[in-house]
Structures are given as structure tokens and as C-alpha cells.
Amino acid sequence: MPIPSFSPKTPTEKVILAFSFSGLGVLLPGETISAKTVSASVFSGTDATPSAILNGSPFVDPLDPARILQGVQNGVDGVVYKLCASITTSLGNVYEIYRLLRIDSM
């Protein structure tokens, strides 16, 4: 199964990416996100410090409590990053979403 991708960004852009767990139907009524992390690794290309693409800590979207938001900055032109958003819920369930992000100076 292919990993879904975000739209590409340039090395100079700073953007907020959304990881939605609501569309997966994984959260039960009343279940909330109690912990969240986002990690970055290189899917293709070369970047010695892929985690440097992450800008700040992830946070729960105030408009959608089943979605987390993560700031992203910089990145190496031509590299495709694999981002993993992981949540732990109030019921102790753990879920992960993977997305690719390509850096393209266009």
C-alpha cells in the first residue's frame, strides 16, 4: 500500500501539516488524544538531520480534537521525508499515520 503524500513544499516555506485521525474511525465517542508525537526520517535522498524539518511540537487542532498539527520548515531540496504522527488516547490506544513530504525548490 503506497504512503499518502502531502503537497510538496519549497526549502524556504514554513507550513503547518495536519494529521487527521477522525477519518480513520479509530477514536471512540469520548476518547481523546492524550499524547502526540511526530517524527521525520528520510524516505529518499540524503539529509543527515531529518528531524530538523520539524518546527516545534505537535498540537491538537482546536477545531478538530481528532487531528494533530505539526509545523514544518526548511528541508533539503530533492529529499522526500517520511513523517510519522503517533497518538496515545485517553483509553490507552496507540495509532500512527504516515505521510510523505517532498521538498522541491521548483
Side-chain angles (χ1 to χ4, degrees):
M1 172 183 231
I3 302 171
S5 296
F6 289 111
S7 295
K9 76 169 218 62
T10 68
T12 57
E13 287 180 301
K14 289 185 178 183
V15 299
I16 302 289
L17 302 178
F19 297 86
S20 180
F21 292 86
S22 59
L24 302 176
V26 296
L27 296 180
L28 299 172
E31 188 175 20
T32 59
I33 296 172
S34 57
K36 61 243 167 254
T37 61
V38 175
S39 61
S41 59
V42 172
F43 184 77
S44 68
T46 303
D47 182 348
T49 56
S51 62
I53 198 170
L54 302 175
N55 184 17
S57 298
F59 57 97
V60 175
D61 185 340
L63 301 176
D64 181 353
R67 184 166 71 171
I68 63 170
L69 304 175
Q70 172 66 56
V72 175
Q73 64 184 359
N74 305 328
V76 176
D77 189 29
V79 170
V80 177
Y81 295 89
K82 181 178 176 183
L83 304 176
C84 174
S86 177
I87 61 168
T88 302
T89 72
S90 55
L91 298 178
N93 296 315
V94 177
Y95 301 103
E96 293 180 339
I97 294 176
Y98 293 89
R99 296 288 183 269
L100 299 180
L101 176 64
R102 181 170 49 94
I103 307 301
D104 189 349
S105 62
M106 301 186 202

